[in-house]
Amino acid sequence: MLSDEDTTLVHAVQKQYASLNLKLPAGTFTILAAIALTSSDSSSVQPKIIGLATGCKCLPKDKLPLQGEAVHDSHAEVLARRCALRWLIEEISRAASASDGSHRRSAWISKMADDRYRLKDGVYMIMYISTLPCGDASMRFLATFQDEEMAALKDSAVFPPLAPNVASRGRDNYSLLGVLRTKPGRADSPQTLSLSCSDKIARWNVLGIQGALGSAFFHPIYLKKIIIGEVPPDLHDVVKSDCERALWGRLQGIYGLPEGYELNRPEIQFTSIGFVHSRSAQEHSSLAQRSCNESLTWVADSTSPYEVLINGLKRGVSPKHRHKSIFWPTLSKVSLFHLYRETRSIENLPLESKTMSYYQAKESMTQYQMAKNCLLGEGRPFSGWIRSGARWENFSSSSDNRQQSTDITN
């Protein structure tokens, strides 16, 4: 049963979302996700939502940007994690100096002897998702609600055997559990390189939500708890079992992780608090239901207002302006790379070459890459992970990447 503190947190997420006043087109629905920090010292430190996002779209393979200026995966969970990453890195500069030049201690992060940060003792990270994450965690749940015609169609479909190191496309082989799956679930949608949210959360439960670039500044940061909406009480036991399998259980055999990394097992909780723009909340509408093309992102304490994205770009930005830094989404790879470079300077870390690419910077994070190989390497649990790789990450933090990006396609 959800605690009073967690119930209060879910209401706070809904309130924050409502304050952003996003208007969805008629007949559409979306998914909401948020990441918050809580403290065991709740009497003096109130929970803090650090990132919030909506969305259920991702870019097809043939639309991926070569200069990092568009967000590949705009599912709510993935965007919320990127929001949290941006907040964490920005918190370093906020803690380093306030606007008046005085030092401000962060209530949430502290610097260690090795000059990297971690969450303070007693501080925990919680994720809220308005519905089950796509992929392995939701396969049996979705099967429960599909109509008889669709069930018969899927039962009659014949797919080639799935090799252990290959990701299944969407909901193909839907009766197989524990396998990697790409987005989207619909078979008639363009193919993508994005793995399901179940797979990505499982990855975070090994590598941490700070990612490769964030590991330059942070020790691995893990989710303590995941709160999920829209699961009927009579399915709580089944769905909890599926989530535990999908989000960490299938990784039990991982070994050789470097110091500081572990297989994290977040607590799974459910909430009956509905989300106003969920699919189920829109069922009373006479209009045909479809997922919203737009995504909302919000980062706490940011100097930038919240952003609305469509096709991975800021809404309203024309194609000829997408490469200009003022129009980059704050969660895009190139924008986060720029923030990374700025923060390295603030932290007085060794200078990197100005021509170092995003891909090269990530590869230089030795401990993180060792942990990643334990998860994704040959013969490892997620060896079938589809990697976008250097082709889409061979850009610098400069906004003038056009020639470089053209060259790598030749």
Side-chain angles (χ1 to χ4, degrees):
M1 185 175 179
L2 206 63
S3 68
D4 291 343
E5 291 82 2
D6 289 339
T7 298
T8 299
L9 176 59
V10 174
H11 280 300
V13 170
Q14 307 272 6
K15 183 177 179 180
Q16 179 60 47
Y17 172 76
S19 74
L20 301 175
N21 202 31
L22 180 68
K23 304 294 185 185
L24 265 62
T28 65
F29 64 88
T30 192
I31 294 168
L32 172 66
I35 291 181
L37 297 176
T38 64
S39 173
S40 56
D41 184 13
S42 57
S43 60
S44 60
V45 182
Q46 295 300 307
K48 183 179 182 66
I49 303 166
I50 61 174
L52 176 151
T54 67
C56 37
K57 298 292 185 181
C58 54
L59 294 180
K61 178 181 178 180
D62 61 357
K63 299 293 184 183
L64 294 181
L66 297 178
Q67 301 172 41
E69 78 281 4
V71 179
H72 293 195
D73 188 338
S74 291
H75 278 225
E77 298 95 317
V78 176
L79 292 177
R81 176 255 166 187
R82 294 180 82 83
C83 288
L85 171 59
R86 185 163 192 105
W87 183 89
L88 284 165
I89 298 177
E90 289 180 345
E91 182 72 353
I92 292 174
S93 62
R94 285 189 291 267
S97 62
S99 58
D100 60 0
S102 63
H103 188 75
R104 181 185 76 83
R105 292 184 62 192
S106 171
W108 306 102
I109 63 173
S110 59
K111 201 168 193 176
M112 306 298 290
D114 64 356
D115 289 333
R116 288 195 298 165
Y117 293 81
R118 66 172 178 83
L119 297 183
K120 286 188 171 182
D121 290 340
V123 171
Y124 305 105
M125 183 172 281
I126 297 177
M127 185 174 214
Y128 160 77
I129 317 170
S130 61
T131 191
L132 276 168
C134 63
D136 193 48
S138 59
M139 297 308 294
R140 285 204 297 175
F141 177 79
L142 292 174
T144 302
F145 294 99
Q146 66 185 7
D147 58 49
E148 292 183 5
E149 182 180 355
M150 180 57 69
L153 178 63
K154 287 188 174 181
D155 285 340
S156 64
V158 178
F159 300 101
L162 191 67
N165 63 338
V166 175
S168 181
R169 182 177 178 188
R171 298 189 191 117
D172 290 357
N173 299 286
Y174 83 105
S175 61
L176 293 180
L177 301 178
V179 301
L180 293 168
R181 295 182 179 276
T182 59
K183 297 166 179 168
R186 289 172 58 100
D188 58 350
S189 298
Q191 189 172 2
T192 80
L193 298 182
S194 296
L195 275 294
S196 75
C197 288
S198 292
D199 300 330
K200 291 192 173 183
I201 295 172
R203 175 178 167 140
W204 304 338
N205 278 331
V206 173
L207 303 182
I209 71 101
Q210 81 292 330
L213 293 187
S215 68
F217 314 115
F218 289 95
H219 289 270
I221 297 175
Y222 296 110
L223 296 169
K224 176 72 171 178
K225 183 183 300 182
I226 302 175
I227 302 171
I228 302 170
E230 292 198 324
V231 178
D234 61 322
L235 291 177
H236 280 187
D237 289 345
V238 169
V239 172
K240 184 176 182 180
S241 174
D242 284 347
C243 287
E244 290 174 346
R245 178 199 67 247
L247 305 184
W248 70 84
R250 53 182 167 155
L251 303 179
Q252 297 277 16
I254 197 167
Y255 63 93
L257 290 169
E259 184 178 359
Y261 290 87
E262 63 182 43
L263 176 57
N264 179 55
R265 299 170 176 83
E267 179 184 356
I268 304 297
Q269 290 280 4
F270 302 105
T271 178
S272 60
I273 301 168
F275 170 47
V276 64
H277 287 147
S278 69
R279 184 199 292 262
S280 61
Q282 308 302 312
E283 286 179 348
H284 64 277
S285 171
S286 59
L287 297 172
Q289 293 300 302
R290 66 187 190 281
S291 55
C292 183
N293 289 327
E294 297 177 340
S295 299
L296 170 74
T297 68
W298 174 83
V299 180
D301 305 318
S302 177
T303 56
S304 302
Y306 73 88
E307 295 176 349
V308 177
L309 309 181
I310 184 165
N311 295 325
L313 298 168
K314 285 184 181 179
R315 184 174 63 186
V317 173
S318 66
K320 68 178 181 179
H321 290 142
R322 62 184 287 175
H323 302 294
K324 295 181 179 180
S325 59
I326 60 171
F327 296 120
W328 293 340
T330 57
L331 302 186
S332 64
K333 291 183 177 182
V334 69
S335 183
L336 288 172
F337 191 27
H338 189 71
L339 176 65
Y340 158 82
R341 298 294 289 266
E342 289 180 337
T343 309
R344 284 190 70 94
S345 177
I346 292 170
E347 289 293 286
N348 295 314
L349 295 178
L351 293 177
E352 297 173 330
S353 167
K354 290 184 178 180
T355 61
M356 175 176 275
S357 71
Y358 177 86
Y359 179 80
Q360 291 169 331
K362 291 203 309 180
E363 289 295 308
S364 71
M365 304 302 161
T366 308
Q367 291 290 100
Y368 182 89
Q369 294 300 333
M370 288 174 59
K372 182 177 174 181
N373 191 59
C374 290
L375 179 65
L376 309 186
E378 185 177 354
R380 296 304 183 118
F382 276 2
S383 60
W385 195 277
I386 301 172
R387 309 191 197 202
S388 54
R391 179 184 175 190
W392 292 282
E393 297 181 345
N394 194 31
F395 53 84
S396 71
S397 60
S398 166
S399 60
D400 186 16
N401 293 310
R402 187 166 304 179
Q403 183 61 46
Q404 179 182 5
S405 295
T406 302
D407 290 346
I408 66 174
T409 63
N410 293 336

